[in-house]
Amino acid sequence: MSAASVCRAGLAVSLSAFAVLALLTLAMQHGQTASFDRAVLDHFAAARGPALDGFFLAVTWLGASHALVPATVLILALLAARRQWASVWSMGTIYFGAALTTWMLKQAAGRERPQLHAALAEVARSDWSFPSGHATHAAAFALGLWLLLARLRPAWRVPAGLVLGAVVLLVAASRLHLQVHWPSDVLAGILVALFWAGLASTFGRRERAS
């Protein structure tokens, strides 16, 4: 795929993610996601059990910021040591851009955490629900790492995409199973990450092509 084609694809992903995120935010604020959110959480609550609870309590840490921020910084340091500045810019922009955006949206939306069923994990009272920080961090890290691997190891593109995509989905599902996020929160977090991945891909390719 040519640099121009990648730029167009990245821009299309970014604009599409922004549009869907904006519509989802408006729908959430007007209560139009309520029935869907409740139905999905009811389904996860019905599937609870010791084995599944333990599995998702472990999996959810794969989206924790205090695990992924150091991992991202380490990757950026290794890339900088090799003077791979385009990759530093791409990975850093996706991860930290998505993290900051989600934090800002949380403050603006001020959405309460779900209370339909007992939560299986503790969350800070000051940490609002929309979007899901775990979903954002997991998706942003996965997308940044996937773009990096696709650039440096093209043969790994498909298997890496499958593995990283599965991890993101498991982290997203863990937030629902633990009853600490609404489904629309999780979807919003992934959309934030997609927006920044598309943006970084678009402008990163332009920078290298100029």
Side-chain angles (χ1 to χ4, degrees), residues 72 91 94-96 98-99 134-146 168 189-190 192-194 196-197:
T72 301
M91 183 83 182
I94 294 169
Y95 186 80
F96 292 107
H134 277 66
T136 300
H137 285 274
F141 183 83
L143 285 166
L145 186 58
W146 182 78
V168 172
I190 294 173
V192 169
L194 281 170
W196 279 100

Side-chain angles (χ1 to χ4, degrees), residues 18 22 31 40 56 62 85 120 138 165 178 190 192 196:
F18 178 83
V40 173
F56 279 122
L62 296 175
W85 303 116
L120 299 180
L178 300 178
I190 294 173
V192 169
W196 279 100

Side-chain angles (χ1 to χ4, degrees), residues 45-128:
R48 280 183 173 181
L52 207 54
D53 293 352
F55 173 75
F56 279 122
L57 280 167
V59 165
T60 203
W61 288 101
L62 296 175
S65 61
H66 53 265
L68 293 182
V69 168
T72 301
V73 171
L74 177 59
I75 291 173
L76 294 178
L78 292 173
L79 292 171
R82 298 182 180 183
R83 299 182 180 277
Q84 295 178 349
W85 303 116
S87 295
V88 170
W89 185 90
S90 178
M91 183 83 182
T93 297
I94 294 169
Y95 186 80
F96 292 107
L100 179 59
T101 300
T102 282
W103 181 85
M104 293 173 64
L105 286 173
K106 280 178 177 286
Q107 309 314 307
R111 190 186 199 185
E112 297 287 347
R113 298 275 178 165
Q115 297 181 358
L116 296 178
H117 308 279
L120 299 180
E122 293 185 4
V123 292
R125 292 185 178 181
S126 59
D127 188 11
W128 299 108

Side-chain angles (χ1 to χ4, degrees), residues 4-62:
S5 297
V6 172
C7 283
R8 287 193 294 269
L11 184 59
V13 168
S14 187
L15 291 176
S16 298
F18 178 83
V20 176
L21 178 62
L23 291 173
L24 179 62
T25 302
L26 288 173
M28 180 275 295
Q29 290 176 332
H30 288 85
Q32 295 174 352
T33 65
S35 59
F36 168 74
D37 282 334
R38 290 192 179 97
V40 173
L41 287 186
D42 285 342
H43 174 77
F44 274 93
R48 280 183 173 181
L52 207 54
D53 293 352
F55 173 75
F56 279 122
L57 280 167
V59 165
T60 203
W61 288 101
L62 296 175

